[in-house]
Every structure is written in structure tokens, then in C-alpha cells.
């Protein structure tokens, strides 16, 4: 046991530098599946080589191999839908009915100042790293502080971020600055940033004018960026769109020309067969958020059918909990409960489907498929080292299924983003995680007390007392 602990410490010492590294794990998770006897070379933040370990050792004699027995090297998870500045109130969503953004999130974000917004975002980034996420897509915030505060928090944490700027303008004063000017400045602001990738965002289609929905689609498409919009998530929103436009939200976006590869439709839980066809035909991407559906949604997105139709989608937490393995498990489990049991589908896409959409599929959905999401030469070295010697994974017969069903964040030894180790055994490297958590707890109490939050469901203790009194 002492030797094992000593070896792990040596690994950390060897891996904390900037490289280059020749990493030799037991296996590497490649697009075709887990491959034994494979090694990778990491240099300048990217995968410089991927191939047989013996061959890479022979062709790169200058690099001392870092052997990682008992470990799988796999792509980092991509969270395709997050709200980083809402981390102070995650537990406020428990037991609440749908459309809680009106009663909880908007009031909470409005109560944040610059320090609390930074701390909330960095706290969410820390949780994401602990859960194996190397990329998060933030759908914009309504704090009123400069969005660069969130960018700074994610950079300081060491996670890759697709950073949304909210472009809502329905009912806005016409004499203010142009939403398109702000959008253009935001897209240019992070051009070339190694970790922050600009995105535009609209809260829901009804929050922006048709001109803005069309214009943001055009700007994002021209910049190779995404527009993040919550679409067809709640029954109430679908009904408001039908009353206003005679069309469902997704149909309306198609009608005005806002669908396309640049659009990342968050949730999309309420889809008709025609809307599925619209998604497939236009190349629009979806963030499938199964935990959010279970906690406060109206339905579960038909993700297995999306996969069959070739619709682009990734998996998102929606800020519920930052654990990539539990998210992949929830993605498969929700399909089984919502659709598989009724049809006798015992596979529901199998383990590989959910690993794929938690990694490469997520990177594609957020517009970063050419940057991350896969262990491949030329892509960013965003990856995990997963201990496979534990009781859950050691007796392996089908590793993709086992990672989905039995994987958990405690099995993650290290998290790398852009070739740099950002987390070691649950603790961030280079900065004080526990100190951040303590400060976040102080600021959260102040913000929640100050915010005009309206909750429908009482706390668990109050609910038990109320039920006992009946």
C-alpha cells in the first residue's frame, strides 16, 4: 500500500509540468473503443501523437515514458448546458415545479455583485472539474456584471468555457446600445483565447425580437460560434408561442430562419415528429439535459430517437450536479424509463451512445468538435485519468457500459485541460479549493437572503412536518 501511494505521488510530480509528456496508461478510449497498449504524447496543450506505446517510445527516445498502470485515459466530459452563476442556489430547485427561472434563477442572479458572481462561477467550475468535465457551455447570465467576470473565473479554475452573452431585447428601450453591437464585441473579445470561446444566447425565443433571433443566428454562423436558446422545454412556453405565433417555439425559429448548425437548442424535451425532422434537416444541435428533466421539467427529450435520426446533441447538467459519469448514467436511464420500457428496448442506445454524446457529441453540439472532445492528434489535450482498479471497474467485460453504469467521479485520478493538470484526486492544482468553498458559502447566504426568491415547495424537513400534521 505504501508503495502504491508513493507511485501516485510520483505521478503527480511528473505530470504537474507543461510537458511534453509520453503517457502510457493501461488503455486509451479512442473513437473506435478502448484500446490496450496505446500511448499519447502531449505537447503545447495538444495531442501530438496517439498510437502503439512501443512505437511511440521508439520514435521519441527523448521522452521518458510516464507509465500509468491501472488507469484509462479518456476524453474529458463536455457539459453542453450550464448556468455557472447559479451555483449558489442549486438546492433551491429541489421539489419545485417547472419554469423556476422566473421565481428562483432571475431573482438570485440579480442579487449577485462582481465578487459573488465570480465566486459562484468558479465554484461551479470546480464542481465540474471534480466531475470530469473539461468543457462547460455557459448559457449566459442576468447578473448585470460584465460577462468577463465569468470568463476570468473559468480561466482561473482551468476549465474550458463556451461563454454565452445574453441578447434578450423583447421590450427593451430602442435608444439603448444595439444588441448586435454588443454581440459583435463579445464575439471578438475572446478571439484567440485558449480557454474561453464566445457564444451568443437568448433566454427563450419569446425574450427576443424576431430581428434579433435572425441577427444573432447570422452573426454566430459567420463567426463559427453558437447561439444558445432554451427551446420547447416547458408546456407553458410552448402554449404561449402557439397563442402568439400559431406555431411552437422550434417551428417559429425555423419560420424566421434561426435554425441551423449554429443553434444549440437547450432541453428540447417537447418535440413533435415534424420538429424532429426540422432538427435533422437543419443540422441544429440540442443539449439533452436528463437530470434537469427529472428535477424540474415537463418531459424527457427523445435522445435515443435523436441519435437514430442523426440529430446532433450533447449532454448538459443545466447546473444540477457536476458529475460526468452520473450524467451519462442519467442520460441512458431516463431514456429507459421514458421510452425503453414501453417499447421493450433493453439497450436504449447502449453504453457507447452516451459516452459518445458526453464527449465528442457534446463538443460538436457546442461548436468545438475541431478543438476538443476526442483523443486525436491535433486536438486539445483535454482528458481524464480514470482508475480502473476499483471494485466497480476492475472486473471489466464491456468498459463503455461499465463507465456509464458504474463509473463515478471518485475514480478520476487527474483532470487535464489544454495539456495542463487542473485537478488531482478531487483537489485543484495551483489554487486553494477549500478556501473558495468557504468563501462561496458566506457569499451564498447573503445573496439568497437578499434575493426575492419565491419557492413553492418547502424544505424536506418542513414538508415532513407538514405531512405529519395532516
Amino acid at each position: 500500500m505504501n508503495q502504491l501511494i508513493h507511485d501516485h505521488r510520483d505521478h503527480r510530480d511528473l505530470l504537474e509540468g507543461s510537458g511534453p509528456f509520453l503517457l502510457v496508461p493501461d488503455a486509451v478510449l479512442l473513437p473506435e473503443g478502448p484500446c490496450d497498449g496505446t500511448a499519447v504524447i502531449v505537447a503545447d496543450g495538444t495531442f501530438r501523437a496517439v498510437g502503439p506505446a512501443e512505437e511511440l517510445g521508439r520514435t521519441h527516445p527523448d521522452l521518458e515514458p510516464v507509465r500509468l498502470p491501472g488507469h484509462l485515459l479518456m476524453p474529458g466530459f463536455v457539459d453542453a448546458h450550464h448556468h455557472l452563476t447559479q451555483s449558489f442556489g442549486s438546492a433551491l430547485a429541489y421539489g419545485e415545479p417547472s419554469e423556476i427561472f422566473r421565481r428562483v434563477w432571475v431573482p438570485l442572479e440579480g442579487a449577485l455583485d462582481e465578487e459573488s458572481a465570480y465566486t459562484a462561477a468558479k465554484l461551479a467550475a470546480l464542481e465540474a472539474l471534480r466531475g470530469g468535465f473539461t468543457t462547460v457551455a455557459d448559457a449566459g447570465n442576468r447578473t448585470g456584471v460584465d460577462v468577463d467576470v465569468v470568463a476570468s473565473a473559468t480561466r482561473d479554475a482551468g476549465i474550458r468555457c463556451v461563454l454565452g452573452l445574453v441578447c434578450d431585447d423583447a421590450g427593451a428601450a430602442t435608444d439603448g446600445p444595439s444588441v448586435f453591437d454588443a454581440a459583435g464585441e463579445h464575439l471578438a473579445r475572446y478571439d484567440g483565447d485558449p480557454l474561453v470561446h464566445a457564444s451568443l444566447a437568448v433566454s427563450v425565443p419569446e425574450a427576443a425580437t424576431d430581428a434579433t433571433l435572425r441577427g444573432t443566428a447570422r452573426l454566430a454562423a459567420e463567426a463559427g460560434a453558437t447561439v444558445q436558446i432554451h427551446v420547447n422545454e416547458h408546456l407553458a412556453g410552448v402554449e404561449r408561442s402557439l397563442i402568439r405565433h400559431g406555431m411552437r417555439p422550434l417551428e417559429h425559429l425555423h419560420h424566421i430562419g434561426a435554425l441551423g448548425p449554429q443553434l444549440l437548442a437547450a432541453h428540447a424535451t417537447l418535440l413533435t415528429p415534424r420538429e424532429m425532422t426540422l432538427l435533422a434537416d437543419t443540422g441544429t444541435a440540442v443539449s439533452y439535459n436528463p437530470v434537469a428533466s427529472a428535477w424540474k421539467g415537463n418531459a424527457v427529450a427523445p435522445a435515443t430517437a435523436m441519435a437514430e435520426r442523426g440529430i446532433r446533441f450533447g449532454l448538459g447538467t443545466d447546473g444540477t450536479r457536476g458529475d460526468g459519469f452520473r450524467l451519462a448514467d442519467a442520460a441512458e436511464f431516463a431514456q429507459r424509463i421514458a421510452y425503453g420500457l414501453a417499447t421493450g428496448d433493453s439497450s436504449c442506445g447502449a453504453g457507447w451512445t452516451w459516452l459518445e454524446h458526453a464527449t465528442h457529441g457534446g463538443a460538436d453540439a457546442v461548436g468545438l468538435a475541431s478543438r476538443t472532445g476526442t483523443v486525436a492528434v491535433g486536438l486539445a489535450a483535454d482528458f481524464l485519468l480514470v482508475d480502473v482498479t476499483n471494485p466497480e471497474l476492475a472486473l471489466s467485460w464491456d468498459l463503455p457500459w461499465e463507465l456509464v453504469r458504474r463509473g463515478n467521479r471518485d475514480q478520476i485520478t487527474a483532470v487535464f485541460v489544454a495539456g495542463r493538470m487542473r485537478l488531482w484526486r478531487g483537489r485543484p492544482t495551483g489554487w486553494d479549493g477549500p478556501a473558495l468553498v468557504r468563501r462561496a458559502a458566506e457569499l451564498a447566504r447573503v445573496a439568497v437572503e437578499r434575493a426575492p426568491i419565491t419557492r413553492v415547495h418547502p424544505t424536506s424537513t418542513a414538508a415532513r412536518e407538514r405531512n405529519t400534521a395532516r
Side-chain angles (χ1 to χ4, degrees), residues 150 223 256 283 394 400:
V150 177
I256 64 174

Side-chain angles (χ1 to χ4, degrees), residues 15-207:
L15 295 171
E16 277 192 310
S18 58
F21 303 116
L22 170 56
L23 305 181
V24 187
D26 280 359
V28 177
L29 191 64
L30 297 176
E32 59 268 29
C35 295
D36 297 339
T38 301
V40 304
I41 293 177
V42 175
D44 298 324
T46 65
F47 291 114
R48 286 295 180 87
V50 179
E54 290 187 6
E55 179 181 327
L56 292 187
R58 186 172 59 254
T59 56
H60 295 81
D62 54 315
L63 296 180
E64 182 70 23
V66 179
R67 302 194 181 278
L68 301 163
H71 282 83
L72 168 74
L73 189 152
M74 64 173 285
F77 293 113
V78 175
D79 187 343
H81 185 63
H82 206 313
H83 295 274
L84 296 172
T85 54
Q86 294 178 1
S87 65
F88 285 179
S90 295
L92 296 174
Y94 303 160
E96 291 294 297
S98 65
E99 291 207 312
I100 62 171
F101 70 92
R102 298 177 184 275
R103 296 176 286 102
V104 177
W105 301 131
V106 172
L108 175 60
E109 287 185 310
L112 302 182
D113 58 17
E114 187 169 302
E115 182 190 5
S116 54
Y118 172 91
T119 305
K122 193 172 182 180
L123 180 72
L126 173 58
E127 183 183 354
L129 286 169
R130 281 168 48 81
F133 291 101
T134 53
T135 298
V136 292
D138 180 74
N141 69 83
R142 291 149 295 206
T143 61
V145 304
D146 189 334
V147 72
D148 198 52
V149 169
V150 177
S152 296
T154 58
R155 276 198 216 96
D156 293 347
I159 200 166
R160 191 176 301 281
C161 179
V162 176
L163 182 63
L165 174 73
V166 174
C167 298
D168 298 356
D169 69 339
T174 56
D175 58 351
S178 166
V179 67
F180 299 121
D181 290 342
E185 290 172 4
H186 178 71
L187 292 172
R189 187 177 194 177
Y190 301 101
D191 186 31
D193 193 295
L195 289 182
V196 180
H197 311 275
S199 169
L200 304 180
V202 174
S203 300
V204 290
E206 63 195 275

Side-chain angles (χ1 to χ4, degrees), residues 49 90 99 113 120 129 168 171 187 218-220 236 243 256 260 278 345 363 368 372 389 400 441:
S90 295
E99 291 207 312
D113 58 17
L129 286 169
D168 298 356
L187 292 172
R218 176 183 55 79
L219 284 173
I243 293 169
I256 64 174
L278 292 177
D345 182 356
L368 295 183
T372 188
T389 64

